[in-house]
Amino acid sequence: QVHLVESGGGLVQPGGSLRLSCTTSGIIFSSYAVDWYRQAPGKQRELVAGITGDDITSYSDSVKGRFTISRDNAKKTVYLQMNSLTPEDTADYYCHHDLFWGQGTQVTVSS
């Protein structure tokens, strides 16, 4: 059984930072890609960042230069370091692998 569990969301002021974590189980973690998506209220879910088993990363234009995705194979965890946050980054953030999704973690950027 594959499980993806996100954590690290919360309320942060504009310009602040957060680090999200996605802890996985049930997959051969080091071999597979994991992605972060987000969904803002009233909007479609969008791909934010991805990392392959070979540590190749990709980012949406809206977060490039501000967000960094990384993985720790020993901990079976993928991280999303989010810097210079703006209110437009407010959304529920989801971890994704293959057909599986986590439950999401909420990020609110507000003063």
Side-chain angles (χ1 to χ4, degrees):
Q1 187 87 15
V2 176
H3 290 285
L4 307 171
V5 180
E6 301 96 335
S7 61
L11 173 64
V12 63
Q13 291 188 339
S17 298
L18 282 174
R19 189 177 79 156
L20 306 183
S21 299
C22 170
T23 301
T24 72
S25 61
I27 64 174
I28 305 173
F29 179 78
S30 61
S31 301
Y32 294 104
V34 176
D35 307 307
W36 283 98
Y37 283 73
R38 69 184 180 187
Q39 187 166 20
K43 294 188 177 181
Q44 288 188 328
R45 193 171 293 189
E46 64 171 345
L47 177 63
V48 174
I51 186 166
T52 70
D54 296 325
D55 284 343
I56 298 172
T57 59
S58 58
Y59 301 91
S60 68
D61 288 342
S62 61
V63 308
K64 198 173 294 183
R66 300 187 298 122
F67 290 12
T68 303
I69 190 170
S70 62
R71 65 193 300 152
D72 184 330
N73 288 338
K75 296 182 178 179
K76 296 186 177 182
T77 299
V78 172
Y79 302 100
L80 186 67
Q81 177 67 44
M82 306 187 297
N83 299 328
S84 302
L85 286 162
T86 74
E88 288 68 38
D89 295 314
T90 295
D92 292 324
Y93 284 71
Y94 297 90
C95 186
H96 169 259
H97 162 70
D98 194 21
L99 301 177
F100 303 95
W101 295 88
Q103 83 289 349
T105 186
Q106 188 173 61
V107 171
T108 302
V109 184
S110 175
S111 55

